Amino acid sequence: MEQLLGYVVVGLATGSTYAVIGLGIALVYQVSGIINFAQGDFVMLGGLTYAVAAESGAHPVAAAAIALTVTAGCGAALHLFVLSPARDAGHDRLIVLTIGASILIQGLALLVFGADQHFAGSFGGEHQFQAFGISISAQYLWCAAVAAAAATAVWALLTRSQSGRAMRALAADRETARLMGIAPLRTGLIALVIAAVLAAIGGIVLAPIQPPDATAGVPLGLKGFTAAVLGGLTSPLGAIAGGLLVGVVEAVVTGLVSSGYRDAVVYGLLVAVLLVRPGGLLVAAVRERV
Amino acid sequence: MARLRPFAGYLVLAAGLLLVPAVFTRVPFYTMSTAVLMVLLAIGALGLVPLTGLARQVSIGQAAFYGIGGYTSALLSTRAGLDPWWGLLAGAALAAAVAWSLGTVIFRAQGHYLSLATLAFGLALAAVVNELPATGRNAGLSGLPPLHVFGVSLTGDLPIYWLGAGLLLIGTVAVHLLVRSQLGSALTAAGDSPVAAAAAGIDIAALRRTAFVVSAVLASVAGSGYAHWFRYVDPSMLGLLNSVQLLIIITVGGRESVWGAPLGAFTVVTLTEVVRGRLPGSGAEAELTAYGIVLVLSLLVLPRGLAGLPAALRRRAGAR
Amino acid sequence: MTHARLELNDLTVRFGGVTAIDGVSLRHDSGGVVGLLGANGAGKTTFVNVLSGIVRPAHGRARLDGYELTTLPAHRIARAGLARTFQNLRLFGSLTALEHLLTPYGARRRGRKAALALLADVGLTGTGERYPGELSYGEQRRLELARALALEPRVILLDEPLAGLPGSESDEMLDLFSRLRDSGTTLLLVEHDVPSVLRISDRVLVLDRGRLLADGPPAAVAADPGVRRAYLGDGDD
């Protein structure tokens, strides 16, 4: 029983990173109506750039800054060179386009960084602490703290800034927002860059726990999807709650059953939610507040 | 003239398929096994024409049906000792049943749930197949018997190629008839404007489900064919990359036309071979990059794919 | 031929916190043209959307000849005899004009000849093999009307069918509506063009912020002081 609580703690910490990844997916979907299948590759790009920079001796803060810049630039490029030119295309083509972008980023990462895993040390050195009978790496605390800070920053941005208000207006009613002079493309660009930054943050804090390689993005992006869909795809708070849930389910299944069934359970949950409650598990609870 | 065109198309496809063995055994980097791969992938991609091309529904889980075909064939022929053809039929029936049930639930809701639901279903199934003792876990199942026709076992690439080419031709005619039928124009209407189609009395959910079932059956047949050709199945059959590859094939080839499937399969497999052959080393990175570039470029520059190229050129010439 | 019977009972539609249709009740079973007037944002298009099943009401009911419009899926509503056009044209870009008229439910059974006759009825003879992109705007509007008629509806909802049409084409369209009315079809005409609506309608409804502000014969509605104040007098069109 005590161990179960330990798994829940680890799950919440990893889940908080899925939450920020999923938050980026929900944000882009809300603002642009695009399901961005390249989000996982932004996670990989952020984590891998960070790990490679750290390995080559950069100070962690500098390495993180490089990783964030590279990923944000990649997000902007995706919007400017791939999504904007196809803005008149239907959703179906946009979905396939982001899949194409995902493969492309993965391929480029393989060309640039090679196929090897790269290692980055834990923030502030290796520490373990004991909780509920299991030993937990201090990096998990960093995960939770950084994710919480990132989510708070996004919340502040959405509620306090002009672009944030534009994003919420577009999400609420696209036609009316356009009539009010909000530029969907420019706002979509901002949303995608924020999503890329969120993904990179997730990648960076996870890098010491799960050393990234060029293919690391797909599973992480899928966790982010599961998070966003559990939350109903349109709700930032829902995506965060969904991410935490995915993390806990994953950690508990790994701890109590076997790591082999982890993916089957998480994706099974995703299938079940899509089939039974396509509006998301948590959407009723948070709809009015976002 | 317009009425003769499909027959001309069938003839060109049949002639192309007939010529493949003669050509592929004489030129450098093509082999008969790449030819088999091409026809199998073309069969799998064919089902995406009604679903993605006409109804504009994106499935990112076709590998699940490919895998259902492959594993049903493997289990029935090795464990139950049934004739391989029964395995192929049973796989297709199972894939149809799964797609029908999934489709019934998914298409109740409007939106882009098919892409997410098929993605999730494919991943969940792959994860389960990777763990279940009955499916041989990550080692897969081996020792499948070959398919046979008139008592002759089809071993080796050439006989399997002829079978696959025959199936592809039959599949192309069948899907083409479907595309040109009332069902096809209803699917197109639902893809162009779902709301207006519903207002015209078209049951969009049932239509989309039908297209999804067709795509599942074709993917399953391709999977069974692959399994009896390779005589071995493993969980990588259900991998995300296989689903994406089918999507790339139909996008590059042209998703609104049945000719897109063979054109796309030929192009994508050729690209794979070229990239692998020219660039030494592991090749995976170059292959992925090439896939990504081709997919993004074709969507931006040639939204109707290679099959839409003649029409695009004609329009450009006419515009002048 | 008996006319279609439409019954609305306390029909209410909400989007988030906004009430778009607010407790509308009415009965109509005498055929003819029912004009629906209202300023921008009065809820006219929402009214059409809720009757055609695209939008679900928060509460209240709408029935057509005993069919519950508020619970049936959109395609079943169409099959029950209610057709519609769209304010922003929604044609099938990859289908020819003739295919548009063969696609609606039941149209294939009536055959190619019936579709060609329908095409002639709306003045589109000879455009059967063309795609919407190759038709003029006025022709596209008429094609959309013909597609709705291919359902052989008992009620047809026309969402601003005259918008953007030059005077001559708009008169032809109004002629078409008269002929339809004479054949027994009930028309619900949502329009901005007040004089046209008053001229052709047998009954006029005025929506104001989701509520039914006025309901009656054209002359009475045009003279209603409340309507003049809230809508006609403002002249914001």
Side-chain angles (χ1 to χ4, degrees):
Chain A
M1 190 60 220
E2 210 182 303
Q3 267 193 347
L4 185 67
L5 283 173
Y7 298 137
V8 169
V9 169
V10 171
L12 284 173
T14 354
S16 66
T17 61
Y18 302 157
V20 291
I21 300 167
L23 181 57
I25 291 169
L27 200 64
V28 169
Y29 181 73
Q30 255 195 312
V31 173
S32 311
I34 295 172
I35 300 181
N36 176 22
F37 284 101
Q39 178 78 347
D41 302 279
F42 291 149
V43 180
M44 171 276 292
L45 195 62
L48 195 56
T49 313
Y50 171 76
V52 168
E55 269 182 349
S56 58
H59 186 273
V61 175
I66 295 170
L68 288 172
T69 315
V70 166
T71 316
C74 187
L78 171 63
H79 194 273
L80 292 173
F81 302 124
V82 178
L83 300 180
S84 291
R87 63 184 170 279
D88 296 327
H91 286 264
D92 48 328
R93 260 174 68 198
L94 288 170
I95 288 176
V96 183
L97 263 178
T98 66
I99 295 173
S102 156
I103 310 172
L104 188 57
I105 297 171
Q106 220 182 104
L108 290 175
L110 273 166
L111 283 176
V112 174
F113 298 112
D116 298 334
Q117 280 190 319
H118 288 268
F119 298 87
S122 296
F123 302 176
E126 303 292 336
H127 293 290
Q128 301 275 326
F129 65 94
Q130 299 290 318
F132 309 109
I134 61 172
S135 156
I136 299 170
S137 160
Q139 183 66 25
Y140 282 107
L141 290 183
W142 280 101
C143 282
V146 171
T152 312
V154 168
W155 177 78
L157 194 88
L158 282 177
T159 50
R160 300 290 152 84
S161 76
Q162 190 57 36
S163 335
R165 278 189 288 270
M167 279 183 225
R168 285 190 300 149
L170 274 173
D173 186 339
R174 221 173 159 68
E175 285 308 307
T176 313
R178 292 180 71 156
L179 290 174
M180 316 266 275
I182 290 168
L185 276 185
R186 208 182 72 98
T187 315
L189 170 67
I190 298 171
L192 197 67
V193 170
I194 294 173
V197 167
L198 285 171
I201 290 172
I204 291 168
V205 293
L206 277 176
I209 303 173
Q210 306 172 9
D213 61 30
T215 59
V218 175
L220 288 170
L222 293 170
K223 301 288 159 57
F225 266 107
T226 311
V229 171
L230 291 184
L233 250 188
T234 53
S235 143
L237 270 184
I240 291 172
L244 296 177
L245 183 64
V246 172
V248 170
V249 168
E250 202 180 75
V252 169
V253 171
T254 308
L256 299 185
V257 190
S258 107
S259 64
Y261 280 104
R262 186 186 66 196
D263 287 351
V265 170
V266 171
Y267 299 136
L269 180 69
L270 179 57
V271 176
V273 169
L274 280 167
L275 294 185
V276 180
R277 294 200 58 172
L281 268 189
L282 313 133
V283 81
V286 293
R287 181 189 286 159
E288 296 300 323
R289 273 179 267 157
V290 188
Chain B
M1 184 61 211
R3 278 175 196 214
L4 285 174
R5 273 183 53 207
F7 295 104
Y10 299 149
L11 283 180
V12 170
L13 178 62
L17 290 171
L18 278 172
L19 282 176
V20 160
V23 176
F24 278 31
T25 46
R26 286 180 177 79
V27 293
F29 61 63
Y30 287 116
T31 60
M32 277 323 287
S33 70
T34 55
V36 176
L37 203 59
M38 280 177 195
V39 289
L40 290 176
L41 288 172
I43 293 170
L46 203 51
L48 293 176
V49 172
L51 183 70
T52 309
L54 305 190
R56 313 255 176 103
Q57 296 287 305
V58 178
S59 164
I60 322 179
Q62 291 306 101
F65 300 113
Y66 194 65
I68 285 176
Y71 271 89
T72 309
S73 279
L75 286 170
L76 290 185
S77 62
T78 61
R79 300 276 161 91
L82 286 178
D83 187 282
W85 285 107
W86 286 117
L88 185 136
L89 287 177
L94 180 60
V98 169
W100 196 89
S101 327
L102 272 177
T104 301
V105 192
I106 295 169
F107 296 125
R108 274 191 325 205
Q110 285 286 329
H112 314 289
Y113 292 112
L114 184 70
S115 59
L116 290 168
T118 48
L119 174 68
F121 174 69
L123 293 167
L125 194 66
V128 169
V129 165
N130 201 34
E131 289 303 315
L132 281 183
T135 51
R137 297 220 165 95
N138 61 1
L141 300 166
S142 54
L144 275 77
L147 282 160
H148 58 85
V149 175
F150 304 124
V152 180
S153 282
L154 304 180
T155 50
D157 295 338
L158 190 64
I160 284 280
Y161 170 79
W162 289 123
L163 176 71
L167 287 176
L168 174 61
L169 203 57
I170 296 169
T172 307
V173 175
V175 173
H176 200 233
L177 288 175
L178 181 133
V179 166
R180 293 170 63 87
S181 72
Q182 180 182 4
L183 197 69
S185 46
L187 278 168
T188 308
D192 283 351
S193 174
V195 172
I202 296 174
D203 186 349
I204 300 175
L207 262 183
R208 289 175 173 166
R209 184 177 63 199
T210 306
F212 188 42
V213 168
V214 168
S215 77
V217 166
L218 285 165
S220 167
V221 168
S224 290
Y226 179 86
H228 286 293
W229 172 47
F230 240 67
R231 321 274 290 274
Y232 164 72
V233 291
D234 74 8
S236 71
M237 262 188 103
L238 294 101
L240 185 57
L241 203 61
N242 275 345
S243 296
V244 171
Q245 196 179 31
L246 289 181
L247 209 52
I248 298 176
I249 285 172
I250 203 60
T251 306
V252 171
R255 55 192 200 155
E256 288 163 32
S257 144
V258 284
W259 317 119
L263 275 174
F266 176 76
T267 311
V268 169
V269 175
T270 301
L271 180 77
T272 313
E273 295 299 318
V274 169
V275 169
R276 273 193 197 146
R278 291 286 156 81
L279 299 166
S282 70
E285 51 277 85
E287 205 177 317
L288 272 180
T289 318
Y291 275 176
I293 292 173
V294 165
L295 184 55
V296 170
L297 274 186
S298 74
L299 276 164
L300 293 181
V301 181
L302 211 59
R304 280 160 197 268
L306 293 171
L309 194 57
L313 291 176
R314 225 176 299 136
R315 201 163 304 158
R316 180 163 292 187
R320 256 188 238 139
Chain C
M1 177 177 176
T2 58
H3 294 293
R5 191 177 70 249
L6 258 178
E7 287 170 274
L8 273 57
N9 200 339
D10 194 26
L11 196 63
T12 302
V13 179
R14 292 203 186 93
F15 296 120
V18 184
T19 303
I21 300 283
D22 195 355
V24 170
S25 299
L26 61 93
R27 271 179 73 100
H28 187 83
D29 54 11
S30 54
V33 177
V34 180
L36 179 62
L37 293 171
N40 270 332
K44 297 187 305 273
T45 292
T46 306
F47 193 76
V48 172
N49 283 345
V50 73
L51 292 186
S52 56
I54 293 173
V55 166
R56 293 290 163 202
H59 59 86
R61 316 169 66 167
R63 307 180 72 169
L64 166 66
D65 294 337
Y67 292 100
E68 285 289 346
L69 300 183
T70 45
T71 51
L72 281 182
H75 68 276
R76 298 283 301 280
I77 292 178
R79 294 176 186 187
L82 186 140
R84 67 167 292 180
T85 64
F86 296 86
Q87 187 182 343
N88 304 312
L89 289 166
R90 294 197 183 202
L91 291 164
F92 306 133
S94 349
L95 295 185
T96 63
L98 189 61
E99 283 174 315
H100 273 77
L101 306 194
L102 287 169
T103 305
Y105 180 73
R108 185 72 58 152
R109 204 178 52 240
R110 289 188 276 277
R112 218 178 141 81
K113 229 175 200 162
L116 284 167
L118 187 53
L119 210 53
D121 279 350
V122 297
L124 290 176
T125 313
T127 62
E129 298 306 317
R130 288 206 237 154
Y131 291 92
E134 302 162 359
L135 298 175
S136 76
Y137 180 72
E139 288 170 330
Q140 293 186 18
R141 281 243 170 253
R142 276 178 281 160
L143 178 59
E144 209 184 46
L145 177 65
R147 178 179 65 192
L149 294 178
L151 266 173
E152 297 206 329
R154 290 174 54 72
V155 179
I156 177 162
L157 312 182
L158 302 158
D159 195 355
E160 306 214 1
L162 307 178
L165 291 185
S168 57
E169 289 198 44
S170 134
D171 287 344
E172 277 172 37
M173 202 67 136
L174 288 169
D175 274 355
L176 248 168
F177 297 162
S178 303
R179 273 188 279 146
L180 272 174
R181 170 185 42 199
D182 297 342
S183 72
T185 313
T186 304
L187 283 80
L188 185 93
L189 174 63
V190 176
E191 248 311 320
H192 253 83
D193 180 11
V194 179
S196 293
V197 172
L198 293 178
R199 193 171 83 221
I200 195 183
S201 300
D202 302 291
R203 176 180 182 179
V204 173
L205 312 171
V206 181
L207 273 181
D208 181 42
R209 276 163 285 175
R211 287 172 186 277
L212 203 53
L213 183 69
D215 176 3
V221 168
D224 186 308
V227 172
R228 300 195 73 90
R229 205 180 320 118
Y231 175 54
L232 299 177
D234 281 351
D236 66 339
D237 291 303

